[in-house]
Amino acid sequence: MAKVTENQGLTERLQTALKQRGQRWTDQRQIIVDALAASDGHATGAELVERVRVDDPSTTPSTVYRTLDLLEDLGLARHHHGPDGRETYHLKETSEHGHLHCRGCGAEQELDAAAAAPILAAITGATGFTTDLDHLSLHGLCAACAAAQGA
């Protein structure tokens, strides 16, 4: 039930933003937003195209990607680049986080804002540059892979 309420709020914000831009709300946009909200984490554009086509087989990849770009432009979604360079998307309603990618086993985990704060503070202190956590992706070894290499 909470997910439906969150989705309704997102839909209402998107409809309002589109109206202000003189654009219209479409059933396809609703299906795309629903697919992204149901992803419970991160989904690539290709994964979203597949999910959306279950409900609407006529949806083209360009429609999905344009809608994802629109969601980002409106501040309602974010993306990051995985170790293979592909973009994965998630709704902005998720807590702000970075990403850790293990080059050993391929695992990915989120780096929450509290854990990332010292890293971001160090970057700002050394360079004056303020980093966006949602685009932060660090590559290395997870604890299990590091332990296995050390053995």
Side-chain angles (χ1 to χ4, degrees):
M1 183 71 143
K3 190 67 133 181
V4 172
T5 305
E6 288 175 26
N7 243 14
Q8 287 173 338
L10 175 63
T11 297
E12 290 169 6
R13 287 194 310 274
L14 184 52
Q15 287 173 335
T16 300
L18 287 174
K19 190 178 231 180
Q20 290 172 347
R21 287 180 166 206
Q23 295 176 299
R24 62 189 182 93
W25 183 249
T26 65
D27 290 340
Q28 280 188 326
R29 285 181 172 158
Q30 182 66 60
I31 293 168
I32 295 164
V33 167
D34 290 344
L36 184 57
S39 69
D40 288 330
H42 304 89
T44 65
E47 291 168 340
L48 290 170
V49 169
E50 287 178 25
R51 292 175 192 166
V52 168
R53 284 186 169 167
V54 169
D55 291 324
D56 182 0
S58 69
T59 302
T60 64
S62 62
T63 298
V64 173
Y65 284 101
R66 279 194 314 268
T67 301
L68 290 170
D69 287 343
L70 177 64
L71 290 170
E72 280 199 280
D73 287 347
L74 296 172
L76 300 173
R78 293 181 175 160
H79 79 276
H80 86 282
H81 298 272
D84 59 1
R86 292 185 309 162
E87 293 176 333
T88 62
Y89 298 86
H90 61 89
L91 293 176
K92 193 172 178 181
E93 273 75 19
T94 60
S95 61
E96 187 176 27
H97 61 275
H99 301 91
L100 304 174
H101 302 277
C102 180
R103 68 174 179 268
C105 66
E108 180 182 326
Q109 69 184 78
E110 292 182 357
L111 177 65
D112 69 25
I119 298 165
L120 300 180
I123 292 170
T124 301
T127 65
F129 189 85
T130 302
T131 305
D132 294 330
L133 179 58
D134 61 316
H135 275 75
L136 181 66
S137 292
L138 300 174
H139 303 258
L141 294 174
C142 68
C145 289
Q149 278 194 356

